[in-house]
Amino acid sequence: MNALEVAASVRAGETSALEVVAESLERVAARNEELNVFVHLDAEGALAAARRVDERVAAGETPALAGVPVALKDNLCVRGQPTTAGSRILAGWRPPYDATVVERLAAAGAVALGKANMDEFAMGSSTETSAYGPTRNPLDPTRVPGGSSGGSAAAVAAGMVPVALGSDTGGSIRQPAALCGLVGVKPTYGLVSRYGLIAFASSLDQIGPFAATVAEAALVLEVIAGHDPLDTTSLPEPAPALVGHLDDGVAGRRVGLCRELVEGADPEVVAAVQRAAEALARAGASVEEVSIPELRLGLSAYYLIAPAEASSNLARYDGVRYGLRVDGPDVEAMNVATRTVGFGDEVKRRIMLGTYALSAGYYDAYYGQALKVRTRMIEAFARAYARVDTLLGATAPSVAFALGAKTQDPLAMYLSDVFTIPTNLAGEAALSVPFGTGEGGLPIGVQLLGPARSEARLFAAARVLEAEVGR
Amino acid sequence: MAGLSREDVAKVARLARIALDDVELDRFTDQLAQVLEHARDLEALDLAGVAPTAHPHGLVNVVRDDVVRASLERTEVLAQAPDVAEDRFSVPRIIGEAP
Amino acid sequence: MSLPEGWEVVVGLEVHTELRTATKLFCGCANAFGAEPNTQTCPVCLGLPGSLPVLNRRAVELAMAIGLALHATVSSSTFHRKNYFYPDMPKDFQISQYDRPINAGGYLDLPDGSRVGIERAHLEEDTGKSTHLGGGGRIHGAERSLVDYNRSGVPLVEIVSAPDIRSAAQARAYAAELRGILIATGASDGRMEEGSMRVDANVSVHRVGEPFGTRCEMKNLNSLRSLQRAIDYEAERQYALVASGGVVRQETRHWDEDRGVTSTMRSKEEADDYRYFQEPDLVELVPEPAWVEAVRAGLGPMPAARRAHLAALLDEPTPAQLDAVGTVVDLGVDDFVEAAVAQGVEADRAIARAANELAGEARERPGLTPGAFAATLRLEQAGELSATQAKAVLATLALAGGDPVGVARELGFERMAAGELEGLIDGLIGEHPDEWGRFCEGDDKLAQFFTGRVMRATRGQADGKVVLDLLRARRG
């Protein structure tokens, strides 16, 4: 099921959105119990929305995503639908408003089936920190799908929906895309409105698409991108043209194979990146090796900045206004009881880490220093992009790992994001595209990185790699 | 950056309004100390004179016009509240004054 | 009250003023006082997950106007999060300005010629409001608290003075002058009773020439009178403490207006750790010169200039007249005086009437325009109305409107024919020959005896001055 084909067929009246969505719901029903992909399914709402799309098509409209079923990461607010961010503390909460991306998808004729599982508040790289149980990798259910957007990735990889939305704060779209054999995009910071995205780390979070193919991902991004007056940090310009540039190729482009974006990765991953470089060269790009030593500082800076912002963003879950309340004799005791019961360990770890990094006496040494590293990283990327258009590296150090393999070792889990984090710190664009397989026939993703607003070029390069592996 | 102590973790837990038992306190102290140990590579850097980046891009003066938009219906606002009285959010007694 | 020779009180004031915008600081909910609880809220000001703030341009401009009026420098600024848990704060952090406020450095000159430095005037959001059930409505002893978020996110400017103030009276004068400036800029309605202007006072005492003492912060100062009384009380309390060998502890103290005392509200011993950091959901504010100049150009004259202008209308003004000028400016009724003077009314009369007759319901006088005010005073000046009558006409106009001549007629204030008055006076002379005799012998005190009786007989409609003239003419 390809989103472009579905939309074309629904627009042409060859199939109805209702049929498409009903089939999609059947595929969900077939594997959801096994994989734990959707934490909330709105079958009735989806069927009703599909009927409305059919009416729009009958009335002569030609929506870009007519009848395309989508999965939404559970940190995207949908009016009246449970939205938990994978946390017990938001159990039962139904937002009174829609996220901007949710509105834009609906306006384009897409039909949301429900909410996909995720690591609690997007903190994790395996979807195992969800309060609603782990999601399994559809390609090997003993393995994780990656995270934090593991439910969104699994929904596409299991063929339940052709496309899904996730959010990427340090790799949470690209890493699960790599582990599930999908295209996953972390757009330039500000390209997609964050209004209605439950915040993890506000200066790093971006919403982006998952899809089986580059073209589908580009189409979805075109639909959700563009200025939103409800998000101050939204870039001022309208959505860029992406689909029209898919076949631009890479002839004459300069690609930098970045040493720091492969070092420490499994040999089979390094080899895949090497083969990707060769493929790009064959397609006419000039490929050179580059080194950006500052990227090695990314992980440390990230694990101070993101928790610091998170400690503040997650303060509001205090039992007063919505979600869980565990009562106590006074309001402070109630806050403590609610947060102690409502948050899982990973969230508590990050809140405490962030609180510490911001607290009196430590701010300069930790948070302040991390912000300066961020400056250094932006400058280093800028120097690299003065020489090359695009950087190439690994997305994740390995193929999908076994469930439970890293849950007792937070630092090992954090290292899963070592190649994806620098892009978030710089606010730039990157995507992961499947390129070959490794251990157990599991997919390997390679990462393409570019400066802000370089999505069209990244998609064109990804398309070259996609063609090389015959998709 | 001195090593992270158990007392440090207890203090941040209080600030963050999270209760930890003794076992958790030990475990979190170990885990957080590990992460901070990894962050030691930042400590060594000479970043004097480098401006901090709090924002990935340099937008300025993003403002909106002072025009009223509809508020939410009160029933919808209060429907999500754990406890309501007299059309307000009800909470157990507040002990301290706001700062 | 005063401290002993050689001691002085040191005061710095933190004034929070709500801005008179149509909407809140970061969302489009109405900024209006007195609505039903929780009816002016949305995802943003309720701090719902996923919501994001967008800054109100008008609030920025009013903040700049305040800064410019206080001679501060308007510069690039950022917003920070001040993190602490409190149920009336929906995000459990307050968006405020920290190390880079929109306005920094400035001063305020008081009518007595003293100058108080302004450290900063920054933008921030207000919190919601909690009320307490049980325990008599006070926070202590309450069983439950109820929160209304209508006020959450209302724009505030916090104006922090330097510790330049040296008496309770000066503190009061500062607050009054600042209030006038806030009203003049259009930024605030300055209503302390409704909480749209809130004053906290940092008070310490020291021996002149020695370092400042430990300060305490006074809260719950709901009027200028409370401010002055609380500082006086607190200065004495601290002096008594120090004089008896005690030490002042840094703390927040609550002013009890009924009992006239301050009491400990919150100890500051354990340092607050607000973990300030730059608000990632907002961007830097960089007021370009053209924007700042446009705001400056829109500023009307400030109270000091307006007082000087009105005072210049008077020849060698007396202290009482200058007080009246100050009242006119405080009431914001300069335009009434201007209109009257433009129509030939003596400035003294115009200022006195404006100061005394436009107070009180100053804001609720829909029918009383500057033109009607001027016309009424002209009737008075021409002797068509007595002073008492003119005041009654103004009061009626304020409530019901109309034109002054018509109102005077409806009130029965026909000008008394001179002949009618003379007849009345003749009658009184006949009834009181002894008094008249003494008046004729030069006992002027008796003039009051006769005018009083004429006024009573005419129910106040006669012009006292005319009556006196007639009496003197009759005496010969």
Side-chain angles (χ1 to χ4, degrees):
Chain A
M1 186 165 63
N2 174 297
L4 277 69
E5 289 164 15
V6 166
S9 162
V10 170
R11 280 197 300 265
E14 292 158 7
T15 34
S16 70
L18 190 61
E19 280 173 84
V20 173
V21 168
E23 272 174 43
S24 197
L25 286 168
E26 279 171 29
R27 282 192 297 275
V28 173
R31 286 196 84 184
N32 198 42
E33 204 170 315
E34 173 204 359
L35 301 173
N36 195 28
V37 170
F38 283 92
V39 288
H40 174 72
L41 203 60
D42 180 25
E44 251 177 64
L47 293 170
R51 281 190 204 96
R52 284 196 298 277
V53 171
D54 286 328
E55 286 163 18
R56 285 170 60 188
V57 170
E61 284 187 49
T62 56
L65 293 171
V68 174
V70 300
L72 300 172
K73 189 176 183 178
D74 197 28
N75 57 0
L76 295 170
C77 289
V78 180
R79 188 186 176 96
Q81 293 295 313
T83 300
T84 68
S87 182
R88 190 174 169 195
I89 211 160
L90 275 174
W93 184 56
R94 291 170 187 260
Y97 75 106
D98 280 329
T100 297
V101 291
V102 170
E103 279 183 0
R104 288 186 180 179
L105 281 179
V111 176
L113 300 192
K115 311 303 284 294
N117 200 11
M118 57 183 284
D119 279 302
E120 186 177 5
F121 285 104
M123 298 174 185
S125 309
S126 65
T127 318
E128 292 169 292
T129 71
S130 169
Y132 304 99
T135 295
R136 291 167 182 274
N137 190 322
L139 308 177
D140 177 353
T142 68
R143 311 240 180 178
V144 301
S148 66
S149 313
S152 301
V156 179
M160 296 171 170
V161 289
V163 293
L165 293 189
S167 66
D168 190 316
T169 306
S172 282
I173 292 173
R174 288 160 289 163
Q175 186 256 16
L179 272 48
C180 290
L182 303 171
V183 177
V185 187
K186 199 299 275 187
T188 301
Y189 186 79
L191 189 71
V192 180
S193 168
R194 291 182 295 118
Y195 191 75
L197 166 67
I198 297 181
F200 163 14
S202 312
S203 77
L204 303 164
D205 296 342
Q206 264 296 283
I207 297 168
F210 287 95
T213 65
V214 174
E216 291 169 282
L219 177 60
V220 173
L221 184 54
E222 250 186 28
V223 165
I224 62 173
H227 179 69
D228 178 11
L230 299 178
D231 177 359
T232 300
T233 63
S234 164
L235 293 173
E237 66 262 18
L242 300 171
V243 176
H245 292 282
L246 284 172
D247 295 322
D248 283 2
V250 292
R253 294 264 169 238
R254 296 163 302 167
V255 174
L257 200 171
C258 182
R259 181 191 304 159
E260 289 74 18
L261 294 178
V262 288
E263 66 187 4
D266 287 355
E268 60 187 19
V269 173
V270 179
V273 174
Q274 192 59 48
R275 286 198 307 278
E278 289 157 13
L280 291 170
R282 278 197 301 281
S286 64
V287 178
E288 59 182 291
E289 285 208 15
V290 299
S291 171
I292 312 175
E294 288 84 352
L295 301 192
R296 294 195 185 111
L297 302 170
L299 194 74
S300 296
Y302 175 86
Y303 276 98
L304 295 170
I305 292 170
E309 292 183 17
S311 70
S312 173
N313 283 331
L314 271 61
R316 70 192 67 191
Y317 306 106
D318 59 6
V320 173
R321 290 158 299 275
Y322 45 80
L324 181 72
R325 173 183 295 184
V326 179
D327 233 319
D330 60 68
V331 77
E332 180 170 348
M334 183 275 280
N335 293 157
V336 171
T338 300
R339 293 165 65 79
T340 300
V341 170
F343 289 138
D345 279 359
E346 184 57 34
V347 171
K348 287 178 185 168
R349 261 193 294 277
R350 302 221 196 171
I351 288 176
M352 289 193 289
L353 190 56
T355 303
Y356 184 69
L358 288 174
S359 64
Y362 299 102
Y363 179 99
D364 289 339
Y366 290 109
Y367 185 70
Q369 190 81 345
L371 294 185
K372 291 178 174 182
V373 168
R374 198 170 180 181
T375 307
R376 277 284 177 81
M377 186 153 305
I378 290 170
E379 291 166 355
F381 267 124
R383 280 194 300 275
Y385 290 130
R387 286 176 51 200
V388 299
D389 307 301
T390 307
L391 290 170
L392 173 67
T395 304
S398 70
V399 297
F401 47 91
L403 282 158
K406 299 184 184 180
T407 45
Q408 298 311 310
D409 185 353
L411 192 57
M413 187 72 90
Y414 296 173
L415 286 165
S416 310
D417 299 331
V418 67
F419 303 138
T420 44
I421 279 170
T423 297
N424 298 82
L425 288 171
E428 295 174 344
L431 56 75
S432 180
V433 59
F435 199 76
T437 54
E439 180 216 337
L442 289 164
I444 292 171
V446 300
Q447 193 182 188
L448 292 161
L449 301 81
R453 301 174 167 97
S454 66
E455 281 80 359
R457 252 186 275 157
L458 297 182
F459 278 118
R463 182 88 149 163
V464 167
L465 296 180
E466 184 177 60
E468 178 79 13
V469 295
R471 293 189 80 145
Chain B
M1 291 186 215
L4 182 78
S5 71
R6 216 166 172 272
E7 289 64 41
D8 291 332
V9 176
K11 187 187 155 215
V12 294
R14 270 199 308 278
L15 271 175
R17 300 223 162 154
I18 291 169
L20 300 179
D21 61 31
D22 281 351
V23 176
E24 289 172 319
L25 196 52
D26 287 336
R27 191 176 74 234
F28 281 124
T29 303
D30 282 352
Q31 292 171 337
L32 297 183
Q34 254 190 62
V35 177
L36 289 172
E37 181 60 31
H38 193 271
R40 277 181 170 271
D41 54 358
L42 302 190
E43 187 187 8
L45 300 174
D46 179 11
L47 297 174
V50 176
T53 296
H55 261 294
H57 58 47
L59 293 180
V60 298
N61 295 343
V62 179
V63 292
R64 67 181 169 82
D65 291 336
D66 186 25
V67 176
V68 176
R69 285 165 50 114
S71 293
L72 291 170
E73 287 295 324
R74 179 162 71 192
T75 47
E76 202 172 10
V77 169
L78 296 178
Q80 300 293 327
D83 192 12
V84 173
E86 299 174 17
D87 298 322
R88 295 166 173 88
F89 294 83
S90 176
V91 295
R93 66 202 177 95
I94 300 173
I95 288 186
E97 306 265 357
Chain C
M1 89 95 229
S2 61
L3 298 177
E5 187 64 32
W7 284 77
E8 67 180 1
V9 62
V10 175
V11 180
L13 295 183
E14 291 172 13
V15 174
H16 284 86
T17 182
E18 288 183 350
L19 299 180
R20 291 180 65 196
T21 51
T23 66
K24 294 185 179 181
L25 187 53
F26 297 119
C27 66
C29 285
N31 168 18
F33 182 80
E36 284 287 296
N38 293 306
T39 54
Q40 290 169 348
T41 64
C42 74
V44 177
C45 58
L46 286 170
L48 295 189
S51 64
L52 296 171
V54 185
L55 184 60
N56 181 339
R57 180 203 316 272
R58 177 79 183 141
V60 174
E61 289 169 355
L62 290 176
M64 288 198 261
I66 291 171
L68 294 171
L70 295 173
H71 313 280
T73 306
V74 177
S75 37
S76 295
S77 63
T78 52
F79 288 90
H80 273 63
R81 292 184 182 178
K82 180 181 183 181
N83 294 288
Y84 63 94
F85 284 88
Y86 209 76
D88 64 14
M89 208 165 51
K91 302 182 293 295
D92 289 302
F93 60 78
Q94 181 193 29
I95 304 179
S96 181
Q97 295 193 301
Y98 182 55
D99 53 352
R100 294 175 62 200
I102 184 165
N103 303 298
Y107 59 87
L108 177 53
D109 286 334
L110 303 187
D112 70 2
S114 64
R115 173 170 288 188
V116 176
I118 303 290
E119 291 184 348
R120 56 192 283 147
H122 70 256
L123 269 167
E124 62 185 28
E125 58 178 343
D126 209 344
T127 62
K129 214 165 182 174
S130 25
T131 50
H132 308 289
L133 288 186
R138 282 287 306 269
I139 188 164
H140 299 292
E143 283 151 27
R144 297 195 73 73
S145 297
L146 304 181
V147 195
D148 167 15
Y149 292 103
N150 281 349
R151 203 182 65 183
S152 163
V154 162
L156 295 176
V157 166
E158 179 178 347
I159 301 141
V160 181
S161 86
D164 290 350
I165 297 167
R166 291 294 177 274
S167 72
Q170 193 190 7
R172 179 183 185 143
Y174 168 89
E177 188 67 6
L178 180 56
R179 184 176 167 277
I181 286 174
L182 294 175
I183 294 170
T185 55
S188 169
D189 60 21
R191 296 187 201 190
M192 287 183 78
E193 292 73 14
E194 283 180 8
S196 61
M197 176 173 151
R198 286 166 249 165
V199 184
D200 299 333
N202 284 303
V203 180
S204 65
V205 295
H206 75 145
R207 209 190 288 272
V208 178
E210 291 182 2
F212 290 169
T214 302
R215 65 173 197 256
C216 293
E217 186 177 8
M218 307 300 114
K219 284 187 182 280
N220 193 42
L221 310 174
N222 295 325
S223 65
L224 294 178
R225 188 178 124 85
S226 304
L227 170 68
Q228 187 167 358
R229 289 180 67 205
I231 292 171
D232 273 338
Y233 173 87
E234 181 63 14
E236 276 191 52
R237 183 190 75 86
Q238 290 183 14
Y239 171 73
L241 198 57
V242 174
S244 65
V247 275
V248 176
R249 280 190 317 156
Q250 188 175 348
E251 61 187 7
T252 304
R253 298 180 67 86
H254 183 271
W255 168 248
D256 185 327
E257 177 70 25
D258 295 335
R259 292 167 52 220
V261 297
T262 64
S263 57
T264 301
M265 190 166 120
R266 193 169 164 276
S267 166
K268 286 200 170 181
E269 274 176 7
E270 52 182 273
D272 298 306
D273 191 346
Y274 295 125
R275 290 157 283 136
Y276 279 99
F277 73 104
Q278 195 176 326
E279 166 59 276
D281 290 327
L282 293 168
V283 298
E284 194 180 1
L285 200 52
V286 185
E288 307 98 357
W291 194 10
V292 178
E293 287 318 306
V295 172
R296 192 194 302 276
L299 282 180
M302 290 300 120
R306 286 157 49 197
R307 281 194 300 268
H309 174 73
L310 291 179
L313 299 173
L314 300 164
D315 300 326
E316 295 180 29
T318 64
Q321 284 177 319
L322 289 178
D323 271 0
V325 163
T327 305
V328 166
V329 170
D330 283 350
L331 293 171
V333 291
D334 319 31
D335 49 341
F336 285 74
V337 173
E338 301 284 357
V341 171
Q343 290 196 27
V345 175
E346 297 149 5
D348 177 30
R349 184 190 304 272
I351 289 166
R353 290 286 175 272
N356 295 321
E357 308 312 319
L358 299 180
E361 299 128 52
R363 275 169 245 276
E364 288 86 31
R365 44 180 145 75
L368 185 51
T369 61
F373 176 78
T376 308
L377 266 55
R378 274 186 52 170
L379 291 174
E380 184 194 345
Q381 188 162 302
E384 305 273 330
L385 291 174
S386 68
T388 313
Q389 288 172 333
K391 291 172 187 178
V393 169
L394 291 175
T396 306
L397 284 170
L399 290 175
D403 81 287
V405 175
V407 168
R409 194 177 305 122
E410 278 166 36
L411 291 173
F413 297 162
E414 298 293 345
R415 188 183 184 195
M416 308 239 9
E420 211 176 317
L421 271 183
E422 280 174 41
L424 201 59
I425 289 170
D426 284 344
L428 285 170
I429 292 172
E431 286 168 37
H432 304 283
D434 292 350
E435 285 82 357
W436 177 250
R438 274 155 50 203
F439 176 66
C440 290
E441 284 157 24
D443 187 350
D444 264 2
K445 283 199 293 281
L446 283 155
Q448 183 58 39
F449 175 86
F450 286 103
T451 48
R453 274 165 179 69
V454 172
M455 295 310 257
R456 212 171 304 142
T458 61
R459 297 193 316 280
Q461 292 183 42
D463 187 321
K465 219 169 147 242
V466 174
V467 175
L468 194 59
D469 288 347
L470 285 171
L471 288 169
R472 291 204 173 114
R474 189 57 70 84
R475 178 168 68 178

